[in-house]
Amino acid sequence: MRNGMPESPYPMVSVDEAQQVIMGRVVPLEAEEVDALTADGRVLAQAIQAPLNIPDVPKAAMDGYALRTDDGLKPRRIVAELTAGTAAGVSLEPGTAVRIMTGAPMPAGADAMLPVELAEEHAGWLTLHHTLQSGQHVHTVGQDAAQGATILARGTVIGTPELGLLATFGLTRVQVYRRPRVAVLATGDEVIEPGLPRPAGAVYDSNRYALMAALREAGCEVLSLGIAPDDHTKQREALLRGLEAADVLVTSGGVSMGSRDLIKPLLAELGTVHFGRIAFKPGKPTTFATVGAKLAFGLPGYPVSSLVSCEVFVRPALRALQGDPHPWRPRVRVRLSTPIRPSHDRPEYQRVTIRQEGVHLVAGTTGGQGSSRLMSLLGANGLLLVPPGEAIYPVGTELEALLTASL
């Protein structure tokens, strides 16, 4: 007890300490083979080598005429036309040329091509006004990628160009890290399912649905455990159900110091609680535990505290579980466009809108920063890292921010 109030048995840890404790217990999940052409967002569990040369034969870089450079500037007789997708099947003799389209294989004997805009064709004859060097305007074998070369490293997050590259080489199966399965539980006697009649004083369960959306955005498979009342037996059953079905358990509510806050003691009963308080706002009572190889996060019940804590502590762990070598959000320096009032005793992650102004990034508050005000997250694309203090940070102050969405 301190000043008549119960004292937490958990020492306060810093944000950095909490993140280190979590990441020190994260091991990437096992690999699985999936359809390469629908693997966007997944993380490669093995390097990919080019199975063939791209291009596999010399090809025309643009529309024009394939020719022999040793013919100089003398006119050439046009003997054939080649289009993309057709085999050359033509041998270019001295004094001849072939009309050729972008991507078509170069005919035997040709060592350069003349772009169509630099050529003059009349009655089946080609006139040149510029000499060419051997190899000019020709894509050579393996120019884009040489057979056997590493084209994608292990740990690459498959995005649009990566998926296109896999398709370019005809690859239809790839090894990727498995997506984490995350079970989400809301707690509290006052929490009810959206759509049901709401008694006075009750609150609709926004946390579970917002958290599940955030977890899906992080690349996870999400399982809803519903709502558990403030009852030891029922919450214990729900936690065990989630731990059995998923790799990670995330709860909201029940982590403070009240007599009905049961999540911390339940996690201590089932596994090991590594920390139960963070010098951090919003989300001081955020809790991290392990139960065997499973990770468990107890997040606060206030909506903003729950989502900000998820962003700062849970999301990086989930990205690392799926093999992402860069699980952290980008950090940027921003200039304040609005005054910012700090917390007097803890670093605070305030919700801001970040935008480009000239060569600078500027950040403005989204309004009231109360832990219950979910509106403060609307329009926010960053979390401003506000050091504790007594004085207001004025307009123009430079601070660091996490970039949580595009500008």
Side-chain angles (χ1 to χ4, degrees), residues 264-316:
K264 278 188 174 78
L266 279 170
L267 290 175
E269 178 184 324
L270 297 172
T272 302
V273 175
H274 299 286
F275 60 77
R277 290 193 304 162
I278 308 174
F280 161 79
K281 183 178 180 179
K284 182 172 74 172
T286 296
T287 300
F288 171 64
T290 51
V291 181
K294 307 294 180 76
L295 308 181
F297 296 88
L299 305 183
Y302 276 131
V304 175
S305 300
S306 176
L307 287 172
V308 173
S309 298
C310 180
E311 176 65 49
V312 176
F313 301 106
V314 183
R315 189 183 190 280

Side-chain angles (χ1 to χ4, degrees), residues 49-56 141-142 144-149 151 167-171:
Q49 281 77 39
L52 47 86
N53 289 310
I54 298 291
D56 57 338
V141 172
D144 294 340
Q147 184 175 6
I151 54 172
T168 294
F169 287 96
L171 298 171

Side-chain angles (χ1 to χ4, degrees), residues 30 123 130:
E30 69 276 11
H130 302 278

Side-chain angles (χ1 to χ4, degrees), residues 24-46:
R25 286 162 177 79
V26 172
V27 178
L29 297 169
E30 69 276 11
E32 61 180 358
E33 187 177 84
V34 300
D35 177 5
L37 305 183
T38 58
D40 38 311
R42 305 298 294 272
V43 181
L44 284 174
Q46 64 178 119

Side-chain angles (χ1 to χ4, degrees), residues 120-142:
E120 183 181 333
E121 180 183 343
H122 180 70
W125 285 83
L126 176 68
T127 301
L128 281 70
H129 300 292
H130 302 278
T131 58
L132 293 176
Q133 295 180 345
S134 181
Q136 200 164 351
H137 306 307
V138 176
H139 287 160
T140 57
V141 172

